[in-house]
Amino acid sequence: MVDFDLRSANARLRASNPLIQCITNTVVQQFSANVLLAIGASPAMLDHEADAAQFTRIAGGLSVNFGTATNQQFLAADAAIDAANADAKPWVLDPVSIGAVDYRTTRIRRAAASSPTAIRGNASEIAALAGVGLGGRGVESTDEVDAVIPAAAELARSTGAIVAVSGPRDAIVAHIDGADRVARIDGGHTFMPLVIGTGCSLGAVTAAYLVGASTASAKFEAVVAAHSHFKVAGEAAAASAKGPGSYSVSFLDELHALTDEQLATARVETGDVEGPIDGARS
Amino acid sequence: MVDFDLRSANARLRASNPLIQCITNTVVQQFSANVLLAIGASPAMLDHEADAAQFTRIAGGLSVNFGTATNQQFLAADAAIDAANADAKPWVLDPVSIGAVDYRTTRIRRAAASSPTAIRGNASEIAALAGVGLGGRGVESTDEVDAVIPAAAELARSTGAIVAVSGPRDAIVAHIDGADRVARIDGGHTFMPLVIGTGCSLGAVTAAYLVGASTASAKFEAVVAAHSHFKVAGEAAAASAKGPGSYSVSFLDELHALTDEQLATARVETGDVEGPIDGARS
Amino acid sequence: MVDFDLRSANARLRASNPLIQCITNTVVQQFSANVLLAIGASPAMLDHEADAAQFTRIAGGLSVNFGTATNQQFLAADAAIDAANADAKPWVLDPVSIGAVDYRTTRIRRAAASSPTAIRGNASEIAALAGVGLGGRGVESTDEVDAVIPAAAELARSTGAIVAVSGPRDAIVAHIDGADRVARIDGGHTFMPLVIGTGCSLGAVTAAYLVGASTASAKFEAVVAAHSHFKVAGEAAAASAKGPGSYSVSFLDELHALTDEQLATARVETGDVEGPIDGARS
């Protein structure tokens, strides 16, 4: 079993105040920036091909999402990804919209083949990127997250990335020392998918947690910590929410107020892919 | 008199969870997405010319607004509108900024001539699109909404669209069976125009309500239901608002909480254009 | 000592409801628009090179910020700045990202040489534009604001602009009648820099206050009034905030609720650059 030190992961984030470059869709830029500020990171949305890669060299990490990509953003992402890889900086790919339309799918597959540190999407997006179908659009369910784990593991092996599946339960899959490890995280709230950007901003948060994580295990832990931060804050936010509008406000407050002790209360289960879940044994 | 079954219109929306493609300005993308999620629809802001039309074929409806349009968005809109028309899917045009500047005006007129299912704007925008002037920028008034109704009716006849005029009172005009029908809806709050996107997002909501409405009467009812949803939620939101910031939050909460019974309480009056208002007779 | 009539500056703003064109980054467009609406101005984000300059001729003022600039925005800004200058309309430059990357820095320097009415940035941005280094990224401090004032004065002399340094204390520097005047404004709250757009939107608010200010002293007063509006509302907003999410909401409420009497309570000290602060003498 992998033991996660979520408190230390959070302490590293808060101490380093990492600068995260986001080449992301215009729908979620404001929310993603506020989320990064709330957790103790600094956002920068530079996405022009003339200077994006130059900025990557001073950033701590990079988040890429083609939700409303322009040609400028596609070119900027190509350059910024190369710069991140050249400097061994973490970068996270969000395959939003994959499968729906051909051009975007082609660009997402090209990015996925460029050694992302992590890939984060919902179950249907991860399935589509892995080349398997889940069948249809629909409410994301816990069953659906569990069903996509084998495909996520295949994707982790083929890309070298940690693969995170977001949903009512998150599943983080990593191929470490020849084994396919999975961590499942429960929490959040049904209002969360009604707030645009709660998925996309998690890619940026994942990049922020990855800054300073050098080993495969530390990277796995960082991705689990990022998702745990959202699950714990997302559950706490519901207490003062009357609907998705007030939930969004509370969520930012809770992301900011979360202590490393609270983060350590995240309900995380770990195990091997296709094996029993460790937590379920006890 | 037209009788509106607003409860059924809302039930159809909630049951179908329509996917609405928005080619819209970057100022209101986040708010529009959150509004669509709150009412039970799914937003998608795909606006790249390489795949916008392909996405239209899987979307339920389309909303077009050139508020901050790029060349990419203009090309994407051209293709998406053609795809929507080819599949007889509803699409809504918001003529924001018409009249102020020449290039945008030309593009808006071109879109208006491409068979929109509905056109939604404020009184001065509808007047400008209809080719009549209202004179000057100013606070939108109820008188101004009433004054533009004849021009809206002319626009409805010339374009084939249902024409919605938003303001302190909304007026929805449709040319049905040779008659110019109008529905006036009261409600909302003075904070509403202080929240950016409360107008633009209503175009997307109108598209969502139009999905599945096949007859001319059903389409008229759908547009009235969309505007009623905003008027009722907009009035309820004021109860817990201290200013435009908290009003915006409450508005999303109320959009989401609104039941079909509450929707049926909307203060809608119907009549013929230039004739007396039905409700005013009794 | 310069005496500021902040009440009159606010009254002029509210009476004129100025239309402010913003060519600004997509991260802060929604927030900036809501801020302008809250203070009693009207936002318009037209940024297409085909019609931006035409719009400038009907706008009251212009705000320029290249945070996520596209080629279209760079071209639109060039044309809009020329149009503003031709009509002697106020325009404000926000040098966000200057120094970090070369291409953007070149474009910002070019805009700074085009006679902006005011330049607004944080201490490190103003230092970079003035050609002096402050050394490193870091938490903005009061000391840092004071340290950059001589460089801001040099920038004010070389560009002809009023130069505003935002931070935990704001400093507004103007070269008037051969003297370098400075106004320091205290207020705000530590949550303010955790809300994206509280800096960028202040550039737009500055443009709004500048509309109708014709003399050098009136322009200095207008920039001080804009920053005082933020400092007073930003301090009041903390009372009902539990974190950066609720602070953002309260801030918009307070911006809107602020009266001219409240604005006049702003803690403003004036003096000469490099001389003692007037308020500190008494």
Side-chain angles (χ1 to χ4, degrees):
Chain A
M1 176 180 158
V2 178
D3 283 318
F4 297 113
D5 183 357
L6 302 181
R7 294 182 61 165
S8 294
N10 184 253
R12 183 183 64 226
L13 170 72
R14 301 245 184 210
S16 62
N17 179 227
L19 178 61
I20 303 303
Q21 182 179 13
C22 300
I23 299 178
T24 191
N25 73 74
T26 46
V27 188
V28 305
Q29 285 181 337
Q30 182 193 18
F31 190 74
S32 298
N34 281 329
V35 163
L36 285 172
L37 288 168
I39 66 162
S42 290
M45 269 59 182
L46 280 87
D47 59 1
H48 195 290
E49 72 267 29
D51 54 22
Q54 187 183 6
F55 193 80
T56 309
R57 290 197 285 272
I58 62 172
L62 171 69
S63 176
V64 174
N65 171 312
F66 293 137
T68 60
T70 57
N71 291 338
Q72 170 183 302
Q73 279 196 329
F74 283 128
L75 294 172
D78 284 348
I81 289 169
D82 286 349
N85 285 335
D87 289 354
K89 287 181 177 170
W91 76 276
V92 178
L93 174 67
D94 185 328
V96 62
S97 299
I98 190 168
V101 283
D102 296 338
Y103 183 66
R104 196 133 341 179
T105 299
T106 300
R107 298 294 311 196
I108 294 168
R109 291 198 181 285
R110 175 175 167 163
S114 303
S115 305
T117 316
I119 298 171
R120 186 222 71 82
N122 62 27
S124 58
E125 290 161 351
I126 296 300
L129 186 55
V132 302
L134 275 185
R137 189 172 62 96
V139 176
E140 302 285 327
S141 69
T142 300
D143 284 356
E144 201 175 28
V145 172
D146 285 341
V148 83
I149 288 176
E154 174 59 34
L155 187 63
R157 283 191 298 267
S158 65
T159 60
I162 297 164
V163 177
V165 186
S166 306
R169 170 184 296 162
D170 292 345
I172 319 296
V173 178
H175 188 70
I176 300 179
D177 296 336
D180 293 323
R181 303 291 303 172
V182 62
R184 289 178 177 83
I185 314 167
D186 282 295
H189 190 266
T190 54
F191 282 152
M192 195 178 281
L194 297 183
V195 178
I196 202 75
T198 46
C200 296
S201 63
L202 184 46
V205 167
T206 299
Y209 267 96
L210 279 166
V211 176
S214 50
T215 67
S217 291
K219 289 175 184 173
F220 188 23
E221 181 176 272
V223 178
V224 170
H227 285 70
S228 296
H229 199 139
F230 262 45
K231 285 298 192 202
V232 174
E235 194 161 340
S240 53
K242 293 190 289 185
S246 47
Y247 180 83
S248 172
V249 173
S250 292
F251 181 58
L252 288 170
D253 284 351
E254 297 290 348
L255 283 175
H256 181 256
L258 181 136
T259 63
D260 52 2
E261 287 84 358
Q262 287 174 298
L263 183 61
T265 68
R267 300 197 297 280
V268 183
E269 286 182 339
T270 58
D272 289 320
V273 174
E274 298 177 324
I277 297 298
D278 291 0
R281 276 188 217 140
S282 57
Chain B
M1 178 179 157
V2 177
D3 284 317
F4 296 114
D5 183 358
L6 302 181
R7 295 182 60 166
S8 293
N10 184 253
R12 182 184 64 224
L13 170 72
R14 302 247 183 209
S16 63
N17 181 226
L19 178 61
I20 303 303
Q21 181 178 12
C22 300
I23 299 178
T24 191
N25 73 74
T26 47
V27 188
V28 304
Q29 285 181 338
Q30 182 193 18
F31 189 73
S32 298
N34 280 329
V35 163
L36 285 172
L37 288 167
I39 66 161
S42 290
M45 268 64 181
L46 281 87
D47 58 1
H48 194 291
E49 71 267 29
D51 54 22
Q54 188 183 7
F55 193 79
T56 309
R57 290 196 284 271
I58 62 173
L62 171 69
S63 176
V64 173
N65 171 314
F66 293 136
T68 60
T70 57
N71 292 337
Q72 171 183 301
Q73 278 195 331
F74 284 129
L75 294 172
D78 283 348
I81 288 169
D82 286 349
N85 285 335
D87 289 356
K89 287 181 177 172
W91 76 276
V92 177
L93 174 67
D94 185 327
V96 62
S97 299
I98 189 168
V101 283
D102 296 338
Y103 183 66
R104 198 133 339 179
T105 299
T106 300
R107 298 295 309 196
I108 294 168
R109 290 198 182 285
R110 176 175 166 163
S114 302
S115 305
T117 315
I119 298 170
R120 186 222 69 84
N122 61 28
S124 58
E125 290 159 352
I126 295 301
L129 186 54
V132 301
L134 275 184
R137 189 171 62 97
V139 176
E140 302 284 328
S141 69
T142 300
D143 284 354
E144 201 175 29
V145 172
D146 285 341
V148 83
I149 289 176
E154 174 58 35
L155 187 62
R157 282 191 298 267
S158 65
T159 61
I162 297 163
V163 176
V165 185
S166 306
R169 170 184 295 163
D170 293 345
I172 319 296
V173 177
H175 187 70
I176 299 179
D177 297 336
D180 294 322
R181 303 292 302 173
V182 62
R184 289 178 176 82
I185 314 168
D186 283 295
H189 189 266
T190 54
F191 281 153
M192 195 179 279
L194 298 182
V195 177
I196 201 75
T198 45
C200 295
S201 62
L202 183 47
V205 167
T206 299
Y209 267 96
L210 279 166
V211 175
S214 50
T215 66
S217 291
K219 289 174 184 173
F220 188 22
E221 181 176 272
V223 178
V224 170
H227 285 69
S228 297
H229 199 139
F230 262 44
K231 284 298 191 201
V232 174
E235 194 162 339
S240 53
K242 292 191 288 185
S246 47
Y247 181 82
S248 172
V249 173
S250 292
F251 181 57
L252 288 170
D253 285 351
E254 296 291 345
L255 283 176
H256 181 256
L258 181 136
T259 62
D260 51 3
E261 286 85 358
Q262 287 174 298
L263 184 61
T265 67
R267 299 197 298 282
V268 183
E269 285 182 339
T270 58
D272 289 320
V273 173
E274 298 178 322
I277 297 298
D278 291 359
R281 273 187 222 140
S282 57
Chain C
M1 178 182 156
V2 178
D3 284 317
F4 297 113
D5 183 357
L6 301 181
R7 294 181 61 167
S8 294
N10 184 254
R12 183 184 63 225
L13 171 73
R14 302 245 184 211
S16 63
N17 179 228
L19 177 62
I20 304 302
Q21 180 180 11
C22 300
I23 299 178
T24 192
N25 74 74
T26 47
V27 188
V28 305
Q29 285 181 338
Q30 182 193 19
F31 190 73
S32 298
N34 281 328
V35 163
L36 286 173
L37 288 168
I39 66 161
S42 290
M45 269 60 183
L46 279 88
D47 59 2
H48 195 291
E49 70 268 30
D51 53 24
Q54 188 182 9
F55 193 79
T56 309
R57 290 197 283 272
I58 61 172
L62 170 69
S63 176
V64 173
N65 171 313
F66 293 138
T68 60
T70 57
N71 292 337
Q72 171 184 301
Q73 278 196 330
F74 284 127
L75 294 172
D78 284 349
I81 288 169
D82 286 348
N85 286 336
D87 290 356
K89 287 181 176 172
W91 75 276
V92 178
L93 175 66
D94 185 328
V96 62
S97 301
I98 189 166
V101 283
D102 297 336
Y103 183 66
R104 197 133 341 180
T105 298
T106 300
R107 297 296 311 197
I108 294 168
R109 291 198 182 284
R110 175 175 167 162
S114 303
S115 304
T117 315
I119 298 171
R120 187 224 68 84
N122 61 27
S124 58
E125 290 160 352
I126 296 300
L129 185 55
V132 302
L134 275 185
R137 190 171 61 96
V139 175
E140 302 284 328
S141 69
T142 300
D143 284 354
E144 201 175 28
V145 172
D146 285 340
V148 84
I149 288 176
E154 174 59 34
L155 187 61
R157 283 190 298 267
S158 65
T159 61
I162 296 163
V163 177
V165 186
S166 307
R169 169 184 295 163
D170 293 345
I172 319 296
V173 177
H175 188 70
I176 299 180
D177 297 335
D180 293 322
R181 303 292 303 171
V182 62
R184 290 177 175 82
I185 314 168
D186 282 295
H189 189 266
T190 54
F191 282 153
M192 196 179 279
L194 297 183
V195 177
I196 201 77
T198 45
C200 295
S201 62
L202 183 47
V205 167
T206 299
Y209 267 97
L210 280 166
V211 176
S214 50
T215 67
S217 292
K219 289 175 184 173
F220 188 22
E221 180 177 272
V223 178
V224 171
H227 285 69
S228 297
H229 199 139
F230 262 45
K231 283 300 191 202
V232 174
E235 195 162 339
S240 53
K242 294 190 289 185
S246 46
Y247 180 82
S248 172
V249 173
S250 291
F251 181 57
L252 289 171
D253 285 350
E254 296 291 345
L255 283 176
H256 181 256
L258 182 134
T259 62
D260 51 3
E261 286 86 358
Q262 287 174 298
L263 184 61
T265 68
R267 300 197 296 282
V268 183
E269 285 182 339
T270 59
D272 288 321
V273 174
E274 297 178 324
I277 298 298
D278 291 359
R281 276 187 219 141
S282 58

